[in-house]
Amino acid sequence: MEREKLEALLKEMTLEEKINQLFQLHGSFFEGDTIATGPAAEQGFSERSIQELGSVLGAIGADSLKRIQKNHMEKHPHHIPLLFMADVINGYKTIFPIPLAQGAAFNEEVARTGAEVAAREASAAGIHVTFSPMVDLVRDARWGRVMESNGEDVYLNSVYAKALVEGYQGDDPKAEGKIAACVKHFAAYGAPTAGRDYNNVELSERTLRDDYLPAYEAAIKAGALLVMTSFNTLNRIPSTANQWLMRKVLREEMGFQGVLISDWAAIEEIAKHDLAVDKKEAAVLALKAGTDIDMMTNCYCAYLKEAIEAGEVSEDLLDEAVLRVLELKNKLGLFENPYKDADAEQEKRWILCEEHRSKSRKAAEETFVLLENDHMLPLKETERVAFIGPYVDEKKILGFWSIFGEAKDAVSVKEGVSERVKHAVEAGQVTFSQGCEILTEEEFVPGFDPKEKNSAAGQEVSTEEMMRQALEHAKQADKVVLCLGEHTTQSGEGGSRAEITLPRLQMELLRKIAAVNENIIVVLFHGRPLDLREVKALSKAVMLAWMPGTEGGNAIAATLYGDVSPSGRLPMSFPYSVGQVPVFYAEFHTGRHMESYMPDNRFQSRYIDAPNAPLYPFGYGLSYTTFAYEDIRLHVEKDNISDGNAPEENNDGIALHTGEKLLVSVRVKNTGSVKGAEVVQMYVRDDKASVVRPVRELKGFSKVWLEPGEEREVCFTVTEEMLRFHNINMEHTVEPGSFTVFVGSDSTTERQAQFCFL
Ligand code: BGC
């Protein structure tokens, strides 16, 4: 539909009808194909609002959504179609590894493929919009939602943000198999004070702009059609009411023209933050800030009319918001085809199809991070291996936000291993035992039913008996693979933890097994960085499996038995202890830099009872093979013409000018005996500036798979734009001077070279 027609439609709509376009209700209010007016009325939603509803969240299924759409359009005064939105995060039914694990792949194609698969399945099921990607930068492992992010790094997050949006939307979200992306949570939701969900966020404007905003901006530049507000306050203002953030930063500076949707009930929460006396005032503040859709409250649909008629907020602002919603429907082609791709046959064809499962498995294989390996892995088929732990036969490995994924469709470690080494299992040379539960009854997780502990069989067996059997198996084995981890409900929304260790019983199990067999390989299932000091001390190999998704067990079996080498790298620093948190590599120089040659000097920026460094740094991860690097080489490319191997040098060394590109290259060789991937990482440090700059920042990464003995030149580009930051005058610029570039296998690499920007 042409824009003029949309504008004409808007003119025809009554005030109430326009307001109701901004109203969004959850699918749970539907009874069959119509909304249950009783429960809706209890929540303050009138029959008229329901009839003129603008969008629905959380409803799925081609046939059902088609009927809902048909019914709705018939009754709607202007026959305007509904938008169906849902949280399709790391998959719809075929579940990929959680987003944090995808970050560990250090390969944005993993995220792109995951988004494509999710869009294909979700669109067939009638969904038009996903509330993804979440691109919140995360640096506090206590916060449960770190699992939904791609990690602690500005650059990594930005690269992934773009790939995810492109994966969901393709070139045109109207096209078959595509859905619209909603970037969230704007802004800085990933930095709640003390890691406690929904808490206040305190950031300087410089930190906000340099570190937190770039990933949202990358997603918007990639064409994301929606943005979601965040629950938190920023500069003491709840985002949903923050006019500076939404109108100036988001719309004016970033040029976002799409729909801004509130997070769940966030408009009403403006009043709970004490910024408004009631829902009406909250609605006025939200509309003034430019929040278009009201998710799940009646603030807009019950109070905006009165506020507009009383002149408390202008109808023009309402019209702007409604037009944006109509435009979104139009961009998705709903005025021509309100059902879009909803089709029961296509649902059957795509959901959990072999192609999707195989993509999910490949993705999982790229996300595992090998932290330790003292000659333990890969396993040999001839070895006697005892697989022990509550995650051996566990299918709830999809992650907290896989709300449409079903555990029954997932492959457990036991199933994966039984398939991979069938003969060894049949011969009794490979054994499986649970050892203990994931959590004890006392380790209460609010909102979690302890009776529904995990999906493993044999719940009636006492913990003593489970442990006894596990110890028997461990004694008879050459090696023990211990599958341990957090419960799915211990991360995700509302999953903040003050302690980030493994659950108590599992640590007890580890200690007992270690007393009878020292050849322990720990495989971890989790949604956040954990304190792994004791795990490291008691085992000879540690591999992170995160929450690996539908094909987790197959991917783990393939990796443990050496069909593929682990190639993930840490997307967040793993702290030495929770007391270090937030700990991240891109920290700042203090005036009292901790010097290792002065261990007795307490007056340095340090802990007296712990190291400053995390247990495992950002970017770290081992492989079954080893890699060797040659020195870094730099050369400048002018006007897209490389000046060959003769870099321009003056007294300051290599000089880069505006409009030129610095090419940073390094040769990497696989020096081991198996194929493996190295994640070559490039960091840059601004050696002197008008404000304190991070000690280094990731500016490029490249995952290269190399055969034994194979070597390759890996090349990165540095441009002026990549060196920009907010200087003393808050200008986004580069200051002339010296820079250091580091290239290596993690964020602690010391392989470096110098250049200057003139
Ligand atoms: C979460 C959002 C999510 C929304 C809708 C909220 O609680 O913060 O990330 O998209 O619910 O389910």
Side-chain angles (χ1 to χ4, degrees):
M1 196 186 274
E2 299 80 44
R3 194 180 157 95
E4 300 78 67
K5 284 197 181 152
L6 287 183
E7 283 168 0
L9 172 61
L10 180 73
K11 283 209 183 88
E12 281 178 22
M13 292 163 76
T14 63
L15 183 57
E16 287 92 336
E17 222 184 314
K18 288 191 285 189
I19 293 170
N20 289 330
Q21 270 308 297
L22 310 186
F23 167 40
Q24 177 168 90
L25 197 62
H26 194 266
S28 56
F29 283 87
F30 283 90
E31 248 170 27
D33 305 330
T34 48
I35 290 171
T37 40
E42 274 168 36
Q43 303 283 317
F45 307 126
S46 70
E47 245 178 85
R48 172 156 190 192
S49 297
I50 291 166
Q51 198 185 341
E52 295 173 1
L53 182 68
S55 54
V56 176
L57 83 147
I60 53 166
D63 284 343
S64 153
L65 296 194
K66 273 162 102 172
R67 286 195 302 269
I68 291 174
Q69 186 74 297
K70 187 166 178 288
N71 277 344
H72 173 81
M73 288 177 67
E74 276 167 12
K75 290 190 197 131
H76 189 281
H78 283 95
H79 316 294
I80 299 177
L82 284 167
L83 271 168
F84 293 113
M85 311 196 185
D87 290 275
V88 178
I89 311 294
N90 45 312
Y92 174 65
K93 291 280 182 188
T94 305
I95 303 299
F96 273 57
I98 55 170
L100 189 59
Q102 294 186 27
F106 271 75
N107 175 5
E108 69 276 19
E109 294 314 311
V110 164
R112 187 192 307 277
T113 306
E116 283 166 0
V117 165
R120 174 55 84 183
E121 294 188 0
S123 63
I127 293 166
H128 306 138
V129 174
T130 176
F131 296 133
S132 176
M134 175 181 122
V135 303
D136 302 320
L137 191 79
V138 294
R139 291 179 164 173
D140 194 323
R142 293 170 295 185
W143 193 49
R145 300 194 81 168
V146 300
M147 60 147 296
E148 286 175 68
S149 158
N150 297 124
E152 73 176 48
D153 184 67
V154 183
Y155 178 77
L156 185 73
N157 269 17
S158 304
V159 170
Y160 270 69
K162 178 173 184 286
L164 283 160
V165 171
E166 290 170 353
Y168 290 126
Q169 297 192 168
D171 295 335
D172 179 5
K174 197 188 286 171
E176 195 193 332
K178 293 295 163 194
I179 53 180
C182 174
V183 185
K184 64 189 191 185
H185 306 82
F186 200 74
Y189 180 45
T193 302
R196 211 181 67 216
D197 210 356
Y198 317 123
N199 207 1
N200 181 44
V201 169
E202 283 295 333
L203 290 177
S204 71
E205 188 178 337
R206 184 166 285 109
T207 302
L208 173 74
R209 287 184 180 278
D210 275 355
D211 300 344
Y212 285 80
L213 295 186
Y216 304 110
E217 192 163 10
I220 289 163
K221 268 202 188 139
L225 291 179
L226 297 93
V227 169
M228 187 185 289
T229 70
S230 60
F231 286 128
N232 56 282
T233 61
L234 193 60
N235 203 12
R236 317 238 170 134
I237 303 168
S239 300
T240 313
N242 192 332
Q243 289 191 35
W244 172 81
L245 184 66
M246 301 306 177
R247 292 210 180 263
K248 175 141 196 324
V249 179
L250 178 68
R251 296 222 185 263
E252 203 181 304
E253 295 179 17
M254 294 188 182
F256 176 65
Q257 295 180 350
V259 167
L260 180 63
I261 182 169
S262 81
D263 201 346
W264 184 288
I267 297 185
E268 188 172 338
E269 288 178 16
I270 296 172
K272 295 193 177 152
H273 279 290
D274 286 342
L275 232 78
V277 288
D278 54 21
K279 289 187 184 182
K280 187 174 79 166
E281 196 181 356
V284 168
L285 288 174
L287 191 66
K288 282 187 175 166
T291 308
D292 299 326
I293 296 182
D294 177 359
M295 186 194 292
M296 273 306 291
T297 80
N298 66 352
C299 292
Y300 276 6
C301 64
Y303 300 97
L304 263 189
K305 182 169 183 262
E306 194 187 324
I308 289 171
E309 283 170 351
E312 290 162 38
V313 62
S314 129
E315 191 170 345
D316 291 348
L317 291 188
L318 172 71
D319 287 354
E320 263 179 27
V322 177
L323 195 57
R324 282 194 285 259
V325 173
L326 296 178
E327 270 174 347
L328 175 61
K329 294 183 176 183
N330 195 32
K331 282 189 180 138
L332 286 160
L334 299 185
F335 289 105
E336 287 78 34
N337 175 11
Y339 309 115
K340 197 170 179 297
D341 308 330
D343 184 309
E345 284 307 309
Q346 293 297 316
E347 254 180 324
K348 275 194 218 117
R349 170 172 170 207
W350 291 109
I351 286 172
L352 289 159
C353 66
E354 263 320 301
E355 181 190 331
H356 288 182
R357 276 189 174 271
S358 138
K359 286 180 170 169
S360 161
R361 173 181 171 162
K362 239 183 127 257
E365 286 170 358
E366 285 213 39
T367 66
F368 303 148
V369 185
L370 186 63
L371 296 177
E372 303 285 340
N373 189 16
D374 182 5
H375 301 98
M376 286 287 108
L377 290 173
L379 298 171
K380 295 184 196 70
E381 289 184 34
T382 49
E383 285 167 340
R384 286 173 302 162
V385 186
F387 283 83
I388 297 174
Y391 269 100
V392 166
D393 200 11
E394 177 58 68
K395 284 169 170 272
K396 289 185 185 162
I397 52 174
L398 307 179
F400 185 83
W401 266 107
S402 309
I403 46 181
F404 307 116
E406 294 177 67
K408 70 167 177 49
D409 298 320
V411 179
S412 70
V413 171
K414 184 176 174 183
E415 289 167 336
V417 170
S418 301
E419 185 63 32
R420 174 63 183 74
V421 288
K422 211 177 256 152
H423 297 304
V425 173
E426 280 163 10
Q429 172 201 324
V430 167
T431 59
F432 304 99
S433 45
Q434 189 181 336
C436 66
E437 303 286 1
I438 295 178
L439 292 174
T440 58
E441 306 242 331
E442 313 85 71
E443 286 165 308
F444 173 69
V445 178
F448 154 69
D449 177 3
K451 275 186 240 97
E452 219 197 283
K453 284 188 195 102
N454 62 5
S455 48
Q459 301 280 329
E460 357 22 89
V461 181
S462 70
T463 308
E464 291 72 36
E465 178 51 26
M466 282 195 259
M467 287 230 183
R468 195 199 57 72
Q469 196 194 27
L471 282 170
E472 268 322 297
H473 286 175
K475 278 182 202 158
Q476 284 157 23
D478 300 319
K479 292 175 181 171
V480 175
V481 176
L482 257 181
C483 298
L484 309 175
E486 288 183 298
H487 194 276
T488 311
T489 55
Q490 287 183 295
S491 63
E493 185 171 353
S496 295
R497 295 182 67 192
E499 300 291 346
I500 50 171
T501 48
L502 281 178
R504 185 180 65 74
L505 264 187
Q506 298 186 54
M507 287 310 294
E508 225 174 82
L509 178 68
L510 168 61
R511 289 181 203 116
K512 285 193 175 150
I513 302 280
V516 300
N517 192 332
E518 56 177 17
N519 291 331
I520 296 180
I521 297 143
V522 175
V523 177
L524 287 169
F525 295 75
H526 52 123
R528 58 154 60 73
L530 295 166
D531 169 354
L532 295 178
R533 272 173 298 168
E534 197 179 351
V535 172
K536 177 181 174 181
L538 293 178
S539 57
K540 287 193 179 167
V542 181
M543 187 177 92
L544 307 180
W546 314 97
M547 286 291 167
T550 308
E551 284 286 312
N554 282 333
I556 290 169
T559 309
L560 293 178
Y561 279 95
D563 304 338
V564 57
S565 181
S567 65
R569 301 290 185 263
L570 293 182
M572 279 184 86
S573 309
F574 268 48
Y576 175 86
S577 66
V578 73
Q580 283 184 331
V581 170
V583 58
F584 51 95
Y585 82 90
E587 57 173 4
F588 301 94
H589 277 306
T590 68
R592 299 271 177 111
H593 187 58
M594 169 77 184
E595 303 289 1
S596 52
Y597 61 85
M598 294 199 296
D600 294 336
N601 185 352
R602 68 182 279 138
F603 300 108
Q604 306 180 79
S605 179
R606 62 176 295 181
Y607 298 104
I608 54 173
D609 56 355
N612 281 5
L615 193 63
Y616 298 104
F618 174 83
Y620 171 81
L622 303 171
S623 160
Y624 292 158
T625 186
T626 46
F627 300 95
Y629 282 72
E630 283 181 10
D631 285 345
I632 302 173
R633 289 184 302 139
L634 304 180
H635 73 262
V636 175
E637 197 179 86
K638 296 177 184 177
D639 304 327
N640 291 329
I641 302 162
S642 167
D643 60 359
N645 290 326
E648 182 197 328
E649 294 213 29
N650 60 16
N651 291 342
D652 299 312
I654 305 278
L656 179 71
H657 302 90
T658 302
E660 296 175 348
K661 285 178 183 167
L662 178 73
L663 301 184
V664 179
S665 54
V666 69
R667 285 195 83 75
V668 184
K669 182 175 181 180
N670 180 346
T671 48
S673 54
V674 293
K675 181 180 170 183
E678 173 67 332
V679 177
V680 184
Q681 299 160 45
M682 176 184 71
Y683 297 84
V684 176
R685 178 175 66 212
D686 190 342
D687 294 327
K688 184 201 155 292
S690 59
V691 295
V692 179
R693 305 280 291 119
V695 292
R696 60 176 65 182
E697 293 175 292
L698 186 72
K699 294 290 177 188
F701 60 85
S702 174
K703 190 172 202 173
V704 283
W705 287 92
L706 298 173
E707 296 292 338
E710 188 184 347
E711 57 179 285
R712 189 147 344 138
E713 172 117 347
V714 177
C715 201
F716 300 103
T717 305
V718 177
T719 59
E720 176 189 350
E721 202 191 341
M722 289 161 70
L723 304 175
R724 288 192 193 141
F725 66 103
H726 287 87
N727 73 1
I728 189 79
N729 302 316
M730 286 305 278
E731 293 152 348
H732 195 225
T733 185
V734 195
E735 291 176 354
S738 148
F739 291 81
T740 307
V741 54
F742 301 86
V743 180
S745 48
D746 67 48
S747 58
T748 64
T749 181
E750 284 304 331
R751 186 173 305 99
Q752 53 186 279
Q754 221 87 26
F755 70 94
C756 63
F757 180 80
L758 294 178

